[in-house]
Amino acid sequence: MPAMASPGQDSESLNIQLLVDSIPALIHTSRPDGYLDYFNKPWLEYLGVTLDKVTGWNWTAVVHPDDVEGIVTEWRACLATGEVFEYETRVRGANGEYRWMFHRKVPLRDANGNIVKWYGSSMDIHERKTAEEALRSSEAYLAEAQRLSHTGSFGWKPDTGKVVWSDETYRIFEYDRATNPNLDMVLQRIHPEDRPLAQQVIECASKTGTDFEQEYRLLLPSGAIKHVRALAQAFQDASGNREFVGAVTDITERKTTEDKIRRLVEAEILGIFIANAEGEIVEANQAFLQMLQYGRQDLVSRRLRWTDLTPAELRERDQRALTEALATGVFKPYEKEFLRKDGSRLPVLIGGALFQSANEGVVFVLDLSEQKRADEALRRSESYLAEAQRLSHTGSWAWKPDTDARYWSEECYRVLGFDPRDGLPRTEELIRRIHPDDRPVFRESAKRATHNQLDEEIDYRIVHPGGAVRDIHSIGHPVFSPRGDLIEYIGTVIDVTERKAAEERIREQEAELRQILDLAPQLVAVFGPGGERLYANRVALDHVGLSLEEWRQTHGGFFRPGWFIHPDDRERAARGYSDNARSGGSAYELELRVQAADESYRWFLVRFNPVRDEHGQIMRWYVAATDIEDRKRAEERLQHENVALREEVDKTSMFEEIVGTSPALRTVLSRASKVARSDSTVLITGETGTGKELVARAVHRRSDRASRAFVSVNCAAIPRDLMASELFGHEKGAFTGATHQRSGRFELANGGTIFLDEVGDLPAETQIALLRVLQEREFERVGGTRQIRVDVRIIAATNRDLQAAIREASFRSDLFYRLNVFPIDIPPLRERREDIRLLVEYFIDRYARKTGKNIRDINKKTLDLLVSYPWPGNIRELQNVIERSVLLCETDVFSIDENWLPQQLLATEPKNQIELSRSLLAQEKNMIETALRESRGRVFGPSGAAAKLGIARSTLESKIRSLNIDKNRFKTSPGT
């Protein structure tokens, strides 16, 4: 102590006894040989003895018998080595009770390094030891509660990124417990499909500081997938720091508490400084300087003032302590905070005394930072666990059969409806709260646990004081001593009311769904992944005439069909399942015949839909069969009728879109039919509007190329400069605007047919290129050098006189001869007037349906006018007139305004042509009546009048109506 006196105080009398006795610690000294020769007043008052009773080695009498051997051994070892002595023992106080003490002795050496004295201090750590024991017990309860309830807890500070996990949380994520957790580790474990949403939730919580709740999957290293549910609430302390506290539920492993409470660092715990009443620190030991991060130079320069080291809000407390010390000479110990050099705060316990006849005193400082941190860690850990229990509605408890309840967590009180202020309820009190119907089950469970000493699990209902009934699920686990004796049961209570209600709703919905399925007009069945029968609705069971149990026991699964599938369909049903199972179990459908209870078979459309689990494995096959028997029968009838009708159509006409029965048209169609199956080039000539493209399309449809493209090109509509590019395509950059490669019409028609309409309007240079295509079947794109071969049939058409064009040198003769391999000349409409009535009826029917009108008859005068008109625009002109007339027609009798037809053309129509038309009509009527007489009035069929005349049934019916023939009068025998 003299070394710590300030200069100028040598003449002052320092009361050493008062000084040492004022230290807020138990101080003692020892000789070099270990003989304790001094204990300060606080020590003697605590022990309740005089100094002579504890000097030497007599002090061992106040040490707990179990601790004497250990402390003596350690003390002798330190005497031999000269190392600092530290040890914890229980010491008996004046009241006869033992309290834990921490003892520390430091050697004092002379200039030669020889020990001349030992100085020691002891600190009462009984409360800390008790707290540690209580903490260990509490942690054991809470940890076991988490393990039993499969709930892990966590804490996260977004500002620092620090993450704290419980043991159970580590087990969930399957990380090494030695690894410090972070968000990247969490995201790494989250399933890739769930990761973006989880990351979004975390980022949102970090930015906004709001609570969050989320369900997601974990993809573990083994490939296993685990589902977890995370809940967290945000908290903010006085400094504005944010923290999230939460729980992760449905997990199996956990780590014991992330950070254990560290033992307080006892070395150099006492700091000492001397200060005056003006606030100056005139001397301090190294321990004090290290506590506050100051150096010896800061002390010598007299820059340290104890008033400046105290936060402003605590200075009033220091002033009261100083006033009291000036009056009594002693600083009574109290807790406060000091400011370190870096501005941080250090919690301390201080006490001291004034020097006699001086304005200065000595202050002893005990660093409480480790203790404070341990307390904070304990509170935080308990807060995490308590909050996790609250969020998951899970309480923990401890129960000893011979002494009743030992511990309930706060959530346990809340779940069971008890008030913690009333203390731990007895088991009988709890039983009185249990629903009367569940009390016998609860008593039996408690009895069984006491007798069997095994894990126990029970469900019961608890009636809260307000009358509310809650469903409880409780799990208990026995804890044994090392000798195998039962110490206690620890466990959890979980409020499962909402889960029970949800399960009940699911059961009701399942019952309703089964009723709906039983009433559905379909055969519905559910099968296992291998086809094993699980469920069938009432309609399905009634159809096969079996009960559900009989159906389940039927040999073979649905995918290895039994007797109820038609023999001809069984192989197809099994193959359908096998093919789809190999392709990953995709949905598919089959048409099958299923046997009914009366042994008859009906057609069903059967749809198979797989249902998968979270691993992608098929759990169920849902099968729905719809009765299609009537549809199948209708399809068969329709197929038979279609075959007959197609045969009839094929006999009468191969060209459904070309209307007419005139000899001239029949000649054209006959030639088209003959050339259709070949690849010969066809040249179609005729006036404009005669239907050249229709004939070209008919040739294509009846050819072997019908399934390939039919590409139509109007040579008169394409600009001269673009003709070659349009027909043969061009390369990128071939000309201005050619920004990319383009295929021509010939390439598009490869394998099919190209129709060159108005071929007489081709420019000379294109005629040359076309001639090469006809000769070599190859060409080059515009701007290209590569030869492109095509397999394409060419049909050309023109309304020009190509022979005259050759004479005028506007069309190449060699190209004409290449095109004119098989010529077809289509007659103008004025040369096939007998087709006009059919065409009129056809166009009236088409446009009446489009406009929604109902036209039943044609005005006779109108019909005569249409037949007599020469139609220079041919069928196209007739079509336009009919369309216009239908739009303007306001009755069910069709008529036209004769002003629409140029009068000069009507006037110039030769009279003899009209007479010829009438003569032809009379001859046609006579031929039809003869055929009807021979067929006894029958129109269609192999022996019908239509077959005898070689025309379609619909055409004959139309002619019978137009010629006013009564076919019913021929339905008699030929002789009558």
Side-chain angles (χ1 to χ4, degrees), residues 396-414:
S396 55
W397 50 264
W399 172 71
K400 195 171 184 180
D402 54 352
T403 61
D404 217 328
R406 297 186 61 187
Y407 165 79
W408 277 17
S409 68
E410 290 186 12
E411 190 63 19
C412 186
Y413 281 101
R414 280 193 291 269

Side-chain angles (χ1 to χ4, degrees), residues 422-435:
D422 296 336
L424 277 172
R426 306 285 296 175
T427 300
E428 284 303 318
E429 294 179 65
L430 175 61
I431 292 176
R432 285 196 292 271
R433 289 278 184 89
I434 293 176
H435 193 282

Side-chain angles (χ1 to χ4, degrees), residues 805-829:
I806 293 172
R807 289 192 296 272
E808 296 170 359
S810 61
F811 197 84
R812 297 178 62 91
S813 60
D814 49 358
L815 177 59
F816 171 75
Y817 295 129
R818 286 286 183 183
L819 294 174
N820 198 35
V821 175
F822 193 93
I824 297 177
D825 184 57
I826 301 179
L829 187 56

Side-chain angles (χ1 to χ4, degrees), residues 290-506:
Q290 288 178 350
M291 284 182 190
L292 302 184
Q293 301 173 341
Y294 286 98
R296 179 62 55 181
Q297 186 61 33
D298 296 315
L299 175 65
V300 173
S301 63
R302 290 186 173 271
R303 290 198 300 266
L304 291 181
R305 298 176 57 85
W306 64 269
T307 52
D308 295 336
L309 297 177
T310 302
E313 69 271 15
L314 302 178
R315 290 172 186 169
E316 182 182 352
R317 176 68 183 89
D318 282 355
Q319 191 61 43
R320 290 202 308 271
L322 178 59
T323 302
E324 183 179 345
L326 292 173
T328 64
V330 177
F331 283 100
K332 289 185 178 179
Y334 68 95
E335 291 186 11
K336 61 164 293 180
E337 290 180 343
F338 274 133
L339 292 172
R340 290 192 178 99
K341 191 172 184 178
D342 63 1
S344 61
R345 297 189 176 202
L346 177 69
V348 294
L349 175 68
I350 69 169
L354 293 178
F355 295 126
Q356 287 184 349
S357 305
N359 194 29
E360 293 182 347
V362 61
V363 180
F364 300 92
V365 183
L366 185 63
D367 186 348
L368 299 180
S369 56
E370 290 299 325
Q371 179 181 339
K372 293 290 185 181
R373 279 194 290 270
D375 292 343
E376 179 61 26
L378 174 60
R379 285 192 296 271
R380 186 166 59 250
S381 177
E382 291 178 339
S383 174
Y384 288 161
L385 294 171
E387 188 64 16
Q389 286 195 0
R390 188 185 68 80
L391 292 173
S392 59
H393 303 292
T394 302
S396 55
W397 50 264
W399 172 71
K400 195 171 184 180
D402 54 352
T403 61
D404 217 328
R406 297 186 61 187
Y407 165 79
W408 277 17
S409 68
E410 290 186 12
E411 190 63 19
C412 186
Y413 281 101
R414 280 193 291 269
V415 168
L416 299 178
F418 285 87
D419 190 339
R421 293 173 296 185
D422 296 336
L424 277 172
R426 306 285 296 175
T427 300
E428 284 303 318
E429 294 179 65
L430 175 61
I431 292 176
R432 285 196 292 271
R433 289 278 184 89
I434 293 176
H435 193 282
D437 295 343
D438 298 338
R439 290 172 187 169
V441 177
F442 186 89
R443 292 184 186 275
E444 180 61 29
S445 176
K447 181 179 179 181
R448 189 167 54 247
T450 304
H451 181 266
N452 297 335
Q453 299 183 1
L454 299 173
D455 287 350
E456 189 69 23
E457 191 168 344
I458 184 176
D459 290 298
Y460 58 89
R461 290 164 292 176
I462 196 84
V463 182
H464 282 198
V469 178
R470 308 296 293 178
D471 289 286
I472 305 299
H473 179 72
S474 182
I475 304 172
H477 175 72
V479 178
F480 298 97
S481 68
R483 295 184 300 177
D485 298 327
L486 178 65
I487 299 175
E488 62 184 355
Y489 265 88
I490 60 175
T492 61
V493 289
I494 307 175
D495 189 333
V496 295
T497 307
E498 285 71 21
R499 190 189 75 188
K500 288 276 189 180
E503 291 174 351
E504 182 61 30
R505 287 194 297 271
I506 291 173

Side-chain angles (χ1 to χ4, degrees), residues 41-329:
K41 181 179 179 181
W43 245 131
L44 298 176
E45 289 177 348
Y46 171 77
L47 297 174
V49 297
T50 58
L51 182 60
D52 60 306
K53 298 296 186 182
V54 291
T55 55
W57 294 88
N58 294 330
W59 53 270
T60 57
V62 298
V63 177
H64 194 283
D66 295 343
D67 301 337
V68 171
E69 182 180 355
I71 190 172
V72 169
T73 301
E74 181 66 19
W75 177 224
R76 292 188 185 280
C78 290
L79 289 173
T81 63
E83 295 178 352
V84 174
F85 170 81
E86 291 183 351
Y87 205 79
E88 292 180 0
T89 65
R90 289 163 288 183
V91 179
R92 185 179 67 245
N95 59 1
E97 295 180 358
Y98 285 94
R99 295 183 66 83
W100 279 98
M101 294 286 182
F102 174 75
H103 310 287
R104 189 170 191 272
K105 297 182 182 67
V106 179
L108 178 66
R109 301 176 185 271
D110 58 15
N112 297 323
N114 297 317
I115 298 175
V116 297
K117 196 72 172 179
W118 287 85
Y119 291 96
S121 65
S122 300
M123 185 172 67
D124 189 326
I125 60 171
H126 193 75
E127 283 70 19
R128 193 198 76 189
K129 281 286 189 177
T130 304
E132 287 178 349
E133 180 62 30
L135 174 60
R136 282 192 291 270
S137 178
S138 176
E139 284 183 339
Y141 292 153
L142 294 173
E144 186 66 14
Q146 285 200 1
R147 187 187 70 81
L148 293 174
S149 62
H150 305 289
T151 300
S153 59
F154 66 88
W156 171 43
K157 293 183 178 180
D159 299 329
T160 63
K162 183 178 180 181
V163 177
V164 179
W165 279 356
S166 68
D167 225 6
E168 195 71 4
T169 307
Y170 271 99
R171 194 196 63 77
I172 295 172
F173 289 95
E174 294 195 6
Y175 277 112
D176 192 326
R177 295 177 178 84
T179 305
N180 288 326
N182 55 57
L183 291 181
D184 290 339
M185 292 167 54
V186 176
L187 294 174
Q188 181 182 356
R189 282 288 191 264
I190 294 178
H191 196 283
E193 295 177 2
D194 300 343
R195 195 175 297 152
L197 179 59
Q199 194 164 10
Q200 181 181 349
V201 170
I202 292 171
E203 290 175 355
C204 179
S206 178
K207 292 177 181 178
T208 62
T210 56
D211 300 348
F212 66 86
E213 177 178 348
Q214 186 188 13
E215 291 186 2
Y216 52 83
R217 294 168 295 171
L218 299 182
L219 181 58
L220 300 176
S222 64
I225 294 178
K226 186 180 296 182
H227 287 262
V228 297
R229 180 170 175 261
L231 304 94
Q233 283 191 338
F235 297 92
Q236 189 169 353
D237 60 20
S239 302
N241 297 318
R242 294 177 300 155
E243 183 173 5
F244 285 90
V245 178
V248 182
T249 308
D250 261 345
I251 55 180
T252 53
E253 288 186 4
R254 74 171 293 176
K255 184 183 179 182
T256 56
T257 308
E258 260 295 304
D259 292 317
K260 293 289 186 179
I261 297 176
R262 299 184 182 91
R263 296 183 60 186
L264 296 174
V265 179
E266 303 295 342
E268 301 293 338
I269 60 173
L270 272 180
I272 305 171
F273 71 89
I274 297 173
N276 57 33
E278 286 74 32
E280 292 181 338
I281 297 178
V282 297
E283 184 58 87
N285 69 348
Q286 192 62 30
F288 177 75
L289 294 174
Q290 288 178 350
M291 284 182 190
L292 302 184
Q293 301 173 341
Y294 286 98
R296 179 62 55 181
Q297 186 61 33
D298 296 315
L299 175 65
V300 173
S301 63
R302 290 186 173 271
R303 290 198 300 266
L304 291 181
R305 298 176 57 85
W306 64 269
T307 52
D308 295 336
L309 297 177
T310 302
E313 69 271 15
L314 302 178
R315 290 172 186 169
E316 182 182 352
R317 176 68 183 89
D318 282 355
Q319 191 61 43
R320 290 202 308 271
L322 178 59
T323 302
E324 183 179 345
L326 292 173
T328 64

